[in-house]
Amino acid sequence: MKKGRTPIIAGNWKMNTTPTVAVELAKAVVEKTAGVKGVIRVVCPPFVSVHAVRQAVAGSGILIGAQNVHSKDSGAFTGEVSAPMLDGLVEFAIVGHSERRKIFGETDADVAAKAKAVAARRIRAVLCVGESLEIRESGRAEQAVRAQLKASLEGFDAWGYLAVAYEPVWAIGTGKAATPEQAGDMAGAIRQELKSIAGREPVDGFAILYGGSVTGENAGPFVDRPDIDGALVGGASLKADDFAKIVQVTASIAASAK
Ligand code: PEP
């Protein structure tokens, strides 16, 4: 975390919580993170709960994210949700999560189209990239992530509407987080790659998050790395206490950042 950047802590609730439970969780997050300054708090509930959660967090400063989006504005795509439908309901949208890439077969080109679609609606894309265990063990992680990032940003130019989450696939939901060094080094490489793709550094800087088994206990050393500006949190975001702890730790690191 470098001085001048506002950290983002985003909770990806995935396919968990009924609308009733989602509202309860959102209210608990409001209560337990009230008064914490200098951190952008984001919750990403399932689509069916977005509206209710938005109402539950109204006035708290907490922002809402979508977990996915379709790249087309409308049409015969049964079951899908488009960026215009999310306009006014969410401020962020996760695109290219590894579960979408792996389970639902999303390609880099699909992800690039989604990132463009949300940014066109002034929704900030949280673009996920990350290598598999096999690639990490082969020593090609940085090369693979740089290539994935470039391909997932093909034709993208709305740099103010982008955050990148480095999420090594082997660290997601496994309880086996990357080390802060691994995550910090990759975030540095991502920042360099972004500068070369964008051709300049945007005034506000790029937000780069780490994701993969982040908890209240281990979050600090990640956010303390100069190139990591927050976290994308899965499992721990379903527990308001744990999520609040991540927000609090991040706030105190940001407050003393140089
Ligand atoms: C995620 O799904 O984006 C994630 C980081 O999950 P977890 O925190 O559970 O590893």
Side-chain angles (χ1 to χ4, degrees), residues 74-238:
S74 63
F77 301 102
T78 302
E80 292 293 314
V81 173
S82 71
M85 294 172 187
L86 294 169
D87 201 344
L89 280 178
V90 304
E91 287 77 25
F92 287 81
I94 299 171
V95 297
H97 191 281
S98 65
E99 287 154 14
R100 302 281 335 161
R101 292 177 185 266
K102 201 168 142 198
I103 306 169
F104 301 98
E106 286 184 13
T107 63
D108 290 335
D110 295 330
V111 176
K114 288 175 183 224
K116 276 188 269 183
V118 293
R121 295 283 158 173
R122 300 204 181 90
I123 295 168
R124 193 166 175 187
V126 179
L127 168 63
C128 301
V129 291
E131 80 286 357
S132 65
L133 185 60
E134 192 194 347
I135 291 181
R136 165 67 56 179
E137 286 175 345
S138 74
R140 292 178 291 118
E142 184 181 320
Q143 188 191 332
V145 168
R146 281 180 183 257
Q148 192 183 35
L149 185 70
K150 199 166 176 190
S152 302
L153 285 171
E154 182 68 46
F156 186 89
D157 61 2
W159 302 110
Y161 290 99
L162 179 71
V164 173
Y166 168 54
E167 299 210 309
V169 178
W170 46 272
I172 296 179
T174 58
K176 194 174 169 286
T179 64
E181 290 70 25
Q182 286 171 323
D185 289 353
M186 190 65 86
I190 289 172
R191 194 174 298 285
Q192 249 184 21
E193 190 65 31
L194 280 170
K195 280 187 204 169
S196 100
I197 299 169
R200 66 187 167 90
E201 179 162 25
V203 221
D204 56 341
F206 292 109
I208 300 175
L209 317 182
Y210 166 71
S213 298
V214 173
T215 64
E217 301 306 315
N218 68 10
F222 288 107
V223 183
D224 209 20
R225 303 293 301 198
D227 281 309
I228 298 182
D229 312 311
L232 180 54
V233 186
S237 70
L238 294 169

Side-chain angles (χ1 to χ4, degrees), residues 15 20-21 37 54 70 79 81 103-104 141-142 200 215 249:
M15 197 174 72
T20 308
V21 172
K37 295 211 165 46
R54 187 166 190 85
H70 196 277
V81 173
I103 306 169
F104 301 98
E142 184 181 320
R200 66 187 167 90
T215 64
V249 167

